[in-house]
Amino acid sequence: MGAGRRERDGDGSTPPEHPTITFSPSAEFPPLSETELGALHDVGQRWRADLGGHRPRDAVLPLDPSLEQYRRPPAPGRFGRLGRIEMFRTERRGQLTATGSADASGTRLRRTLARLRRVLLGPPLASAAVLQERMRKLVALPVLSSDLLSSVAYGPEAMLAILVLAGSGALGLSLPIAAGLVVLMITVGTSYRQTIYAYPHGAGSYLVASDSLGPRFGLTAAAGLILDYVLTVSVSVAAGIGAITSALPGLTPFTVPLGLLVIAGLLAGNLRGVRAAGKIFAAPTYLFIAAVLLLFAAGLAQAAARGFTPVPPPPVGAVEGLGLLVVLRAFASGASSMTGIEAVADAVPAFRPVEWRQARTTLTWMVGILVVLFAGLTILIDFNGLVPRGDETLLSQLARRTFPTGPWYALIQAATTMVLLLAANTAFNDFPRLLFFMARDSYAPRRFLHMGDRLAFSNGIVALAVAAALVFVAFGGYTQSLIPLYAVGVFLAFTLSQAGMVAHWRRHRGRNWRRRAALNATGALLCGLVLVTAAITKFVEGAWVVVLAVPLLVLLCLHIRWHYDAMRQALALPPPDTPDPDQGGRPDPMGRPNRVAESTGPDDLLVDQTPREVRHLVVVPVARLNLAAMRALAYATSLGQPVFAVHLSPEQEEADRFRRQWETWGDHLRLETIISPYRTVIAPLAQYVEALHTVRPEVTLTVVVPEIVVRHLWHKLLHTRTELRLRRALRDLPGVVVTSVPIHLPE
Amino acid sequence: MGAGRRERDGDGSTPPEHPTITFSPSAEFPPLSETELGALHDVGQRWRADLGGHRPRDAVLPLDPSLEQYRRPPAPGRFGRLGRIEMFRTERRGQLTATGSADASGTRLRRTLARLRRVLLGPPLASAAVLQERMRKLVALPVLSSDLLSSVAYGPEAMLAILVLAGSGALGLSLPIAAGLVVLMITVGTSYRQTIYAYPHGAGSYLVASDSLGPRFGLTAAAGLILDYVLTVSVSVAAGIGAITSALPGLTPFTVPLGLLVIAGLLAGNLRGVRAAGKIFAAPTYLFIAAVLLLFAAGLAQAAARGFTPVPPPPVGAVEGLGLLVVLRAFASGASSMTGIEAVADAVPAFRPVEWRQARTTLTWMVGILVVLFAGLTILIDFNGLVPRGDETLLSQLARRTFPTGPWYALIQAATTMVLLLAANTAFNDFPRLLFFMARDSYAPRRFLHMGDRLAFSNGIVALAVAAALVFVAFGGYTQSLIPLYAVGVFLAFTLSQAGMVAHWRRHRGRNWRRRAALNATGALLCGLVLVTAAITKFVEGAWVVVLAVPLLVLLCLHIRWHYDAMRQALALPPPDTPDPDQGGRPDPMGRPNRVAESTGPDDLLVDQTPREVRHLVVVPVARLNLAAMRALAYATSLGQPVFAVHLSPEQEEADRFRRQWETWGDHLRLETIISPYRTVIAPLAQYVEALHTVRPEVTLTVVVPEIVVRHLWHKLLHTRTELRLRRALRDLPGVVVTSVPIHLPE
């Protein structure tokens, strides 16, 4: 595993230090391994032998690449000729530093877009700023907990909605089930505390399951989480918009555009970077907590006023018999209050140093608040004898009963709405990080390793926004269709993560390891039970999508890994210990035989590792003897390598005419004409180059093509763009190099 | 004008011969003018002086470009290594002929598609077959006349539908108006006979109006025709499908898919080539003519049986008063019977030799048949006292009254349907030809000059099919919405064409020119009247689209011409008489000063006309020292030109690490590192290259980039494709050449 198997003792005080910063922008450029360095040295030795006394690095260049000697005091105009040069600063010999971002270049449209982007997302942040973008606990708590805490807005209701199927008499079971859920919450929370401690550089289910159970389990957990993050955004936005449209029914027709607007807002906020997102989003979470606590206080005061006499629930007839299945389903549904508990563990490296300690404290606070809110709401609902209704949420009923008049009801509803929207934001913190870890292990496209110019993982953020928007639109922004898909993925991840912790403790032992393993095993068992119950009882309602998608995602990730592994192998330098060219398929540097007949593989001949081994032949396709052709011919000839021209003609007559023109020019280069009787252009040229390649695969063919560059996009329609199509046709041929000589048309 | 002003006497016997074959596939490669040849010779002299005694054409190449020495007897397997070589045949020294088309290459999917295409469209036809693809008169008549003749299916009805607005008493005016229309038909037909004679290589309105009145009038006519061809396809297909769905109402919901299917069928048929299209489409037109003549005969027999007593029409109340406007509108509406008369004149070069003579005969026959059908139908309708009804066409009413029982009614309806669908086909003959002429004059994209491998102008055919399908779908296949747009374009072209003929006769005189000019003037006047009436009376119903689109199309064509003119000028070699580099912006071949400070224009420095004038600097961006980088470095170094490498790093740490790796390799080339603190990759690299270009614009920078080539399309998503993005960013820089060194990943 790319995450590395860190051996440690787990002695209970501080985890062992890890030298690398996990989220460095250099993650895109992993260092070479010892083997690779050895191979590199070996190749360098071959170059040295090959070059002999000649040292290309000492040759005089026609200009100074460090740009040092061209600097002069700032010109009066901003757009003077030296503008480009001043965009680089020299700090040491052979090294330049770019001083600006890319905004200044390109067309006017592109500059305007860049300026707009800067206004929306803020100026670019240098890599050196990466540490400042960490979160304090007080900022991290609201940012990371909104998903978890907003779940109490629908968790208790989901539990009671199942119980009430067995009649209002069964509602009394809510308190023991809630107690069980509280135990589960504390168990999972404790487990994650240990996980954060054991994996201080990122402790998500993917990393833990990969590390302890193997990559396939890790990928399974990751697939569950990926789906869950996408659904978190869709569901939370849908529920939030639903809350708004319940209050203001006139907005109902605009559900989908409103939701897309919210997703766009979340996208922009998160592209600005972590700290800015924290600042924007801190207040509402605290407001929600305060509002619910206020509700508790008022409810308690009212209960005390009437001597703590519980209100009996209205009689509701039983639809189903009360059995174990109903209890389990109620438990599983209530467990949806726990979605989002993963957030802190995934986000450890976004905390300020010491990361793991801050993260643990934050997690403890979050779970504590969750338990208080969940238990308090369940008790208060039970005490007030409330029953789930289709037209109003339980939280709304409770708030309305507690505050029949005044602004407090509206405040609680508004806070609920906002915290639901913020829950969506949590996914924007976690999803790109998960993809970063997966990309580091080559299970996701490498572009998810790239930090945008605001130090956020822009690609992951954009991917999440797009996926969530698609799901949101596909389901028409209708919450109830999305809910059944929701919890399966996250409990899959929980189960694997905790099972992984059991394996971790068994392997690494340490103090109290049996007690810890037992605690984790209990958690894994409970989570697994919830997972199985949710998958089975919600299967027809939509959980099948998740059950189907998880293995497909795992397969996709494995395929991506295979592809990257194949690429790495294909691009690896030959290791120093396989010098035999007959076995390794590498060319013999001393001189090689004509391999026309015996060679078979497509790419194995042309390793071209040293300059002397490259034998050139330059081919210039010429359509018409104009300036473009002359420039290409002059460029090709000036390289000083063997060169000839080729002309494609639809008819003999035209071929003869062209040859006469060629002789008028002076016949300075050898000319081949190809008659294409079927008037196709690209295919015969490509086949001709392929034929040349076939007869002498060891010759590197350089095809020099003039490229007409037009100013306006639609002008491209007026050109046949032979250069582009030829390049595409020749792309499959190994050892064929295509060189574009640009010719710029005036406006 | 590109069509050339052919001076001739018009002596009435045979037109003067024109040496070039108009539809040669070499039209894409126009010969160089005398000036261009002179400039070419001049440039060649400069090369000679520049190269001195060195003759690159005599240098030994590492392989024989004529492939002669690599041939061997056919290998046992078809897919042997020499397959590519055998695809070329050597006929003379320095010339190869491609023996197959492009089908054999590419992936399995591409080969399957090529095979499918061959089954649908037939095997490719060699350029030498171009003459065989001409039409005999008996084939040309149905192919070209279906548009014209099918118009009688709705022309008389359109006329009567206007007259009946003034009450059934006004219907008696149909005979004098029809007489006027017959005069108009004969006038226009006679005019086109003269046009074919005067312009034997293509006598469409565009050519005539361009030649006689100037290019803007020609473009106006062309714009009208372009719209009309698109509408012909849409309207005819819509009417044809409408006739089918009237007979079989169950098919009504499938109007749009059925129409698209018909358009696709027409597309395929026409892509197969002209002759095949003729064979497929000959029978139904003859069937239609026969069916209508049968109708006449039976109607005449019935009339004779009742002693030629006319049936009075049923009384219809007048909606409008009978005035000149109603008569004019009726005339204009009836004139829609004439759409399609243009077809023969446009298609002259598709006839077998002698083209103009065959075309004239065909046109005479067509107009004769038109007059007979139109007059006969009008008389028979009047005689039977039929009145236009909303639910049944007049032709259908007439057929039903004449043949109350038996299969004859069904036959007439089926023939009408088929001839309407064939009318759409006429446009597929004319539209690509019109665009060919326009492209030859640089008023349309050059790709319309290209003959496909079936010797048809595939691009024009496809363009028409797409445009017509779009219009068809946009109007839901509803004929009545399309009809008002229909006639304006074609009468615009008629008017301009005949006015052009007046100008032609005035300029060229010849025998009887006054009589001819008077005849054409009458035609122009009548056509102009129809045009103005149609445009005004149908303006609100949809003619405004055409009135708006024609000037826009003309502007577009002019813009295209300007663009091509600018390109031609930009790509022209310097004429021999402007050797002064200071005035012409051309470089001084003897050696030039450092132009950093004084130069301003973007592209004027780098004409690079002779090899010695090219000063090279090769830049190799390196991200990671793997095989791809080594290959690029070896390639770049092997060119023997000054070279250095550049590495882009997000952080100092990574930059230092890379330099250490570089030193492990052996530090064979100069290395520059650029720190990109905002982690962007493409922009700083492009700006760096631009800075290098700025300080020494006379140096040609060659950027050598390894290009990872993947097998599967979706694998592209896994790569950041730096090569492509860098190429795009560097494209705007003159004098920067981008070279892709391909690296192929295994499956």
Side-chain angles (χ1 to χ4, degrees):
Chain A
M1 277 306 305
R5 295 177 185 279
R6 283 174 291 277
E7 303 294 328
R8 66 180 66 88
D9 296 324
D11 59 0
S13 55
T14 54
E17 278 304 306
H18 199 279
T20 65
I21 299 169
T22 314
F23 287 109
S24 154
S26 300
E28 284 183 274
F29 302 85
L32 294 180
S33 69
E34 279 306 313
T35 324
E36 287 171 312
L37 282 173
L40 186 63
H41 180 76
D42 187 57
V43 170
Q45 290 299 320
R46 288 188 50 222
W47 273 61
R48 191 177 310 280
D50 187 74
L51 291 169
H54 172 62
R55 289 261 292 167
R57 83 154 338 291
D58 300 329
V60 179
L61 301 182
L63 56 81
D64 173 21
S66 67
L67 300 173
E68 196 48 55
Q69 67 183 88
Y70 309 107
R71 286 172 206 287
R72 59 180 191 188
R78 275 187 64 200
F79 302 103
R81 292 221 63 191
L82 292 187
R84 285 282 168 262
I85 302 164
E86 282 146 11
M87 295 186 77
F88 295 93
R89 189 159 35 90
T90 312
E91 278 174 344
R92 48 174 100 170
R93 212 177 125 62
Q95 181 172 308
L96 296 162
T97 303
T99 53
S101 69
D103 295 7
S105 75
T107 59
R108 188 181 302 174
L109 175 71
R110 218 176 287 168
R111 281 201 304 272
T112 311
L113 286 177
R115 233 172 277 139
L116 185 70
R117 186 177 179 282
R118 183 177 283 229
V119 169
L120 279 176
L121 307 184
L125 296 171
S127 301
V130 74
L131 276 183
Q132 298 169 13
E133 285 300 302
R134 307 298 187 86
M135 292 188 284
R136 285 183 300 140
K137 284 194 294 273
L138 278 176
V139 170
L141 182 66
V143 167
L144 299 175
S145 70
S146 54
D147 182 13
L148 182 63
L149 299 184
S150 73
S151 306
V152 302
Y154 49 82
E157 179 164 7
M159 176 177 66
L160 290 170
I162 302 294
L163 283 179
V164 82
L165 293 175
S168 46
L171 287 174
L173 279 174
S174 69
L175 292 186
I177 294 178
L181 281 169
V182 166
V183 170
L184 183 64
M185 286 167 189
I186 292 171
T187 312
V188 174
T190 313
S191 168
Y192 269 115
R193 273 181 63 90
Q194 293 170 17
T195 312
I196 290 170
Y197 166 79
Y199 294 88
H201 296 289
S205 304
Y206 165 67
L207 293 181
V208 174
S210 295
D211 199 29
S212 305
L213 301 175
R216 274 153 212 250
F217 286 96
L219 288 178
T220 309
L225 285 175
I226 285 174
L227 295 174
D228 197 67
Y229 291 144
V230 173
L231 286 168
T232 296
V233 176
S234 306
V235 169
S236 302
V237 170
I241 297 289
I244 292 172
T245 53
S246 304
L248 306 164
L251 291 176
T252 309
F254 305 106
T255 299
V256 171
L258 273 177
L260 292 180
L261 203 70
V262 168
I263 292 175
L266 289 168
L267 173 65
N270 280 282
L271 285 178
R272 282 189 77 98
V274 170
R275 193 174 50 180
K279 272 183 187 161
I280 293 173
F281 296 136
T285 309
Y286 286 128
L287 185 69
F288 177 71
I289 298 171
V292 177
L293 291 179
L294 177 76
L295 190 65
F296 289 173
L300 211 64
Q302 287 178 357
R306 62 175 190 270
F308 291 101
T309 322
V311 180
V316 179
V319 180
E320 303 182 17
L322 181 62
L324 184 62
L325 187 65
V326 168
V327 174
L328 282 180
R329 275 170 70 194
F331 188 83
S333 296
S336 63
S337 300
M338 285 172 62
T339 55
I341 206 167
E342 163 98 3
V344 172
D346 245 10
V348 177
F351 280 86
R352 293 201 174 164
V354 181
E355 295 89 350
W356 69 275
R357 206 183 288 277
Q358 297 225 0
R360 273 178 84 150
T361 314
T362 307
L363 177 63
T364 307
W365 271 96
M366 268 170 63
V367 174
I369 296 172
L370 172 69
V371 167
V372 169
L373 296 190
F374 179 80
L377 277 177
T378 310
I379 292 168
L380 216 57
I381 287 167
D382 182 68
F383 195 77
N384 280 292
L386 296 175
V387 172
R389 293 209 317 256
D391 57 342
E392 191 173 15
T393 63
L394 272 177
L395 188 60
S396 170
Q397 289 182 48
L398 184 63
R400 209 186 284 279
R401 175 164 301 190
T402 313
F403 303 111
T405 56
W408 299 110
Y409 169 72
L411 173 79
I412 286 168
Q413 286 302 98
T416 310
T417 304
M418 278 196 284
V419 86
L420 275 167
L421 297 186
L422 294 195
N425 192 60
T426 311
F428 279 97
N429 283 284
D430 295 350
F431 183 85
R433 284 203 183 87
L434 175 61
L435 281 178
F436 174 86
F437 288 122
M438 293 174 73
R440 213 185 43 183
D441 299 342
S442 300
Y443 288 119
R446 300 193 73 77
R447 58 188 68 202
F448 292 117
L449 288 177
H450 184 74
M451 278 184 154
D453 63 6
R454 287 290 294 179
L455 287 171
F457 293 111
S458 339
N459 291 324
I461 291 170
V462 171
L464 176 62
V466 169
L470 287 177
V471 171
F472 186 84
V473 171
F475 286 79
Y478 185 59
T479 319
Q480 295 308 318
S481 321
L482 287 163
I483 289 278
L485 285 70
Y486 191 31
V488 178
V490 81
F491 271 92
L492 179 62
F494 286 173
T495 310
L496 288 170
S497 161
Q498 308 213 25
M501 284 312 292
V502 177
H504 179 86
W505 297 127
R506 283 191 56 183
R507 195 181 315 129
H508 296 284
R509 310 280 162 127
R511 208 174 57 176
N512 295 330
W513 76 269
R514 283 175 198 282
R515 193 178 57 81
R516 285 175 163 159
L519 198 65
N520 282 141
T522 315
L525 198 71
L526 289 177
C527 287
L529 203 65
V530 175
L531 169 66
V532 172
T533 314
I536 291 173
T537 57
K538 298 178 179 178
F539 189 82
V540 184
E541 295 162 69
W544 64 270
V545 176
V546 178
V547 172
L548 206 71
V550 165
L552 287 180
L553 269 176
V554 171
L555 274 182
L556 180 67
C557 293
L558 287 173
H559 196 109
I560 289 173
R561 168 73 182 241
W562 292 330
H563 175 77
Y564 280 132
D565 281 352
M567 180 185 81
R568 229 186 312 268
Q569 209 156 21
L571 296 185
L573 294 171
D577 49 346
T578 59
D580 188 352
D582 291 339
Q583 290 176 6
R586 304 293 173 190
D588 179 4
M590 297 304 143
R592 44 191 157 178
N594 181 345
R595 300 192 188 203
V596 174
E598 61 267 39
S599 167
T600 52
D603 215 359
D604 56 350
L605 301 160
L606 289 158
V607 179
D608 295 346
Q609 280 168 357
T610 69
R612 290 266 170 98
E613 288 167 16
V614 183
R615 288 177 68 191
H616 284 284
L617 178 58
V618 183
V619 187
V620 189
V622 179
R624 188 178 165 83
L625 284 170
N626 56 16
L627 196 64
M630 282 300 138
R631 200 176 284 184
L633 289 169
Y635 178 86
T637 311
S638 70
L639 291 173
Q641 305 289 346
V643 57
F644 74 98
V646 60
H647 173 72
L648 197 84
S649 177
E651 295 180 304
Q652 184 65 50
E653 189 195 342
E654 205 279 331
D656 294 340
R657 196 169 66 206
F658 187 84
R659 194 169 280 282
R660 286 195 300 274
Q661 292 173 0
W662 190 261
E663 277 153 13
T664 303
W665 171 59
D667 198 20
H668 298 298
L669 292 176
R670 178 160 177 175
L671 170 72
E672 288 290 317
T673 46
I674 301 177
I675 309 265
S676 169
Y678 305 113
R679 296 161 304 282
T680 44
V681 178
I682 302 301
L685 263 183
Q687 280 164 4
Y688 179 65
V689 174
E690 198 173 344
L692 296 179
H693 174 73
T694 308
V695 300
R696 286 254 183 274
E698 75 278 14
V699 171
T700 299
L701 294 163
T702 299
V703 183
V704 176
V705 201
E707 182 183 11
I708 305 270
V709 181
V710 295
R711 290 265 179 268
H712 297 295
L713 204 62
W714 75 268
H715 281 167
K716 286 186 182 170
L717 294 173
L718 302 179
H719 298 269
T720 45
R721 310 187 75 198
T722 315
E723 186 272 338
L724 192 75
R725 288 154 67 208
L726 189 60
R727 170 189 307 284
R728 223 176 263 158
L730 293 178
R731 196 180 282 154
D732 289 338
L733 293 179
V736 174
V737 172
V738 180
T739 294
S740 314
V741 180
I743 314 288
H744 292 80
L745 292 191
E747 175 49 30
Chain B
M1 275 309 304
R5 295 176 185 280
R6 284 175 290 276
E7 301 297 326
R8 66 181 65 88
D9 298 322
D11 58 359
S13 54
T14 53
E17 278 304 304
H18 200 279
T20 64
I21 300 169
T22 315
F23 287 109
S24 155
S26 300
E28 285 184 272
F29 302 85
L32 295 180
S33 69
E34 279 306 312
T35 324
E36 286 171 313
L37 283 172
L40 187 63
H41 180 75
D42 187 58
V43 170
Q45 292 299 319
R46 285 188 51 222
W47 273 61
R48 193 177 309 279
D50 187 72
L51 292 169
H54 172 63
R55 289 262 292 169
R57 79 146 354 282
D58 301 329
V60 178
L61 301 182
L63 56 81
D64 172 21
S66 68
L67 300 174
E68 196 48 54
Q69 67 182 89
Y70 310 106
R71 285 173 206 285
R72 60 180 190 186
R78 275 187 63 200
F79 302 103
R81 294 219 62 188
L82 291 187
R84 286 280 167 264
I85 301 164
E86 283 144 10
M87 293 186 76
F88 294 94
R89 190 157 37 87
T90 312
E91 277 173 345
R92 49 175 99 170
R93 212 177 125 62
Q95 181 173 307
L96 296 162
T97 302
T99 55
S101 69
D103 296 7
S105 73
T107 59
R108 188 181 302 176
L109 175 71
R110 219 175 288 168
R111 281 201 304 273
T112 311
L113 286 178
R115 235 174 274 139
L116 184 70
R117 185 177 179 282
R118 185 179 281 231
V119 169
L120 280 175
L121 306 184
L125 296 170
S127 302
V130 75
L131 277 182
Q132 298 168 11
E133 286 300 302
R134 305 300 187 84
M135 293 188 284
R136 284 182 300 138
K137 285 195 292 276
L138 279 176
V139 170
L141 182 66
V143 168
L144 299 175
S145 70
S146 54
D147 184 13
L148 181 63
L149 299 184
S150 72
S151 306
V152 302
Y154 49 83
E157 179 163 7
M159 175 176 67
L160 290 169
I162 302 294
L163 282 179
V164 83
L165 294 176
S168 47
L171 288 174
L173 280 174
S174 67
L175 293 185
I177 293 178
L181 281 169
V182 166
V183 171
L184 182 65
M185 286 166 190
I186 293 171
T187 313
V188 173
T190 313
S191 168
Y192 270 114
R193 272 181 63 90
Q194 292 170 17
T195 313
I196 289 169
Y197 166 80
Y199 294 87
H201 296 289
S205 303
Y206 164 67
L207 293 181
V208 174
S210 295
D211 198 30
S212 304
L213 302 175
R216 274 153 211 248
F217 286 96
L219 287 178
T220 309
L225 284 175
I226 285 174
L227 296 173
D228 196 67
Y229 291 144
V230 173
L231 286 168
T232 296
V233 176
S234 306
V235 168
S236 302
V237 170
I241 298 289
I244 293 172
T245 53
S246 303
L248 306 164
L251 291 176
T252 310
F254 306 106
T255 299
V256 171
L258 274 176
L260 292 180
L261 203 70
V262 169
I263 292 174
L266 289 168
L267 173 66
N270 281 281
L271 285 178
R272 281 189 78 97
V274 169
R275 193 174 50 179
K279 274 184 186 158
I280 294 172
F281 297 137
T285 308
Y286 285 129
L287 185 69
F288 176 72
I289 297 172
V292 177
L293 290 180
L294 178 76
L295 190 65
F296 290 173
L300 210 63
Q302 287 177 355
R306 62 174 190 271
F308 292 102
T309 323
V311 181
V316 179
V319 181
E320 302 181 17
L322 182 62
L324 184 63
L325 188 64
V326 169
V327 174
L328 281 180
R329 274 170 71 194
F331 187 83
S333 296
S336 62
S337 300
M338 287 171 60
T339 54
I341 206 167
E342 164 98 3
V344 172
D346 245 10
V348 178
F351 280 86
R352 293 201 173 164
V354 181
E355 295 88 351
W356 69 275
R357 205 183 288 277
Q358 298 226 358
R360 273 179 84 151
T361 315
T362 307
L363 177 63
T364 308
W365 272 96
M366 268 170 61
V367 173
I369 297 171
L370 171 70
V371 167
V372 169
L373 296 191
F374 179 80
L377 277 177
T378 310
I379 292 168
L380 216 57
I381 287 166
D382 182 67
F383 194 78
N384 280 291
L386 297 174
V387 172
R389 294 210 315 258
D391 57 343
E392 191 174 13
T393 64
L394 272 178
L395 187 61
S396 169
Q397 290 182 47
L398 184 63
R400 210 187 282 280
R401 174 164 303 191
T402 312
F403 302 111
T405 56
W408 299 110
Y409 168 71
L411 173 79
I412 286 169
Q413 287 301 99
T416 310
T417 303
M418 277 195 284
V419 87
L420 276 168
L421 297 186
L422 295 194
N425 193 60
T426 311
F428 278 97
N429 283 285
D430 296 350
F431 183 85
R433 285 202 183 85
L434 174 61
L435 281 177
F436 173 87
F437 289 121
M438 293 174 72
R440 215 184 42 183
D441 300 342
S442 299
Y443 287 119
R446 300 192 73 76
R447 60 187 68 201
F448 292 117
L449 288 177
H450 184 74
M451 278 185 155
D453 63 6
R454 288 289 295 178
L455 287 170
F457 294 111
S458 340
N459 291 324
I461 291 171
V462 172
L464 176 61
V466 169
L470 287 177
V471 170
F472 186 84
V473 171
F475 285 80
Y478 185 59
T479 319
Q480 296 307 318
S481 321
L482 287 164
I483 289 279
L485 284 72
Y486 190 31
V488 177
V490 80
F491 272 92
L492 178 62
F494 286 173
T495 311
L496 289 170
S497 160
Q498 310 213 23
M501 283 312 291
V502 176
H504 177 87
W505 297 125
R506 283 191 56 183
R507 195 180 317 129
H508 297 283
R509 309 282 161 127
R511 210 176 54 179
N512 294 330
W513 74 269
R514 281 176 199 282
R515 191 177 59 82
R516 284 174 164 158
L519 197 67
N520 283 142
T522 315
L525 198 72
L526 289 176
C527 288
L529 204 65
V530 175
L531 168 67
V532 172
T533 314
I536 291 172
T537 57
K538 298 178 177 178
F539 189 83
V540 184
E541 295 163 69
W544 64 270
V545 176
V546 178
V547 173
L548 206 71
V550 165
L552 288 180
L553 269 176
V554 171
L555 273 182
L556 180 67
C557 293
L558 287 174
H559 195 110
I560 289 172
R561 169 74 182 241
W562 292 330
H563 176 77
Y564 280 131
D565 282 351
M567 180 184 81
R568 230 186 311 268
Q569 210 156 21
L571 296 185
L573 295 171
D577 49 346
T578 59
D580 188 351
D582 290 341
Q583 290 178 5
R586 303 294 173 188
D588 180 2
M590 298 306 142
R592 44 189 159 181
N594 182 344
R595 299 191 189 203
V596 175
E598 62 268 38
S599 168
T600 52
D603 213 2
D604 56 350
L605 300 161
L606 289 159
V607 179
D608 295 345
Q609 279 167 0
T610 68
R612 289 265 170 98
E613 288 168 17
V614 183
R615 288 178 69 190
H616 283 283
L617 179 57
V618 183
V619 187
V620 189
V622 179
R624 189 177 164 83
L625 284 170
N626 55 16
L627 195 64
M630 281 301 139
R631 200 176 284 184
L633 289 169
Y635 178 87
T637 310
S638 70
L639 291 172
Q641 305 290 346
V643 56
F644 74 99
V646 61
H647 174 72
L648 197 84
S649 177
E651 296 181 303
Q652 185 65 51
E653 189 194 342
E654 205 278 330
D656 293 341
R657 195 168 69 205
F658 187 84
R659 193 170 280 281
R660 285 195 301 275
Q661 294 172 0
W662 190 261
E663 277 153 12
T664 301
W665 172 59
D667 198 19
H668 298 298
L669 292 176
R670 177 157 177 177
L671 171 72
E672 288 290 318
T673 47
I674 302 176
I675 308 263
S676 169
Y678 305 113
R679 297 161 303 283
T680 46
V681 177
I682 301 301
L685 263 183
Q687 280 164 3
Y688 178 65
V689 174
E690 198 173 344
L692 296 179
H693 174 73
T694 309
V695 300
R696 285 256 184 273
E698 75 279 14
V699 171
T700 299
L701 295 163
T702 300
V703 183
V704 176
V705 201
E707 181 184 11
I708 305 268
V709 181
V710 295
R711 290 265 178 269
H712 297 296
L713 204 63
W714 75 268
H715 281 166
K716 286 187 183 169
L717 296 173
L718 303 179
H719 299 269
T720 45
R721 310 187 75 198
T722 315
E723 186 271 339
L724 192 75
R725 288 154 66 210
L726 188 60
R727 171 191 305 283
R728 224 176 261 157
L730 293 178
R731 194 179 283 155
D732 289 339
L733 293 179
V736 174
V737 172
V738 180
T739 293
S740 315
V741 179
I743 315 288
H744 291 80
L745 292 190
E747 178 53 29

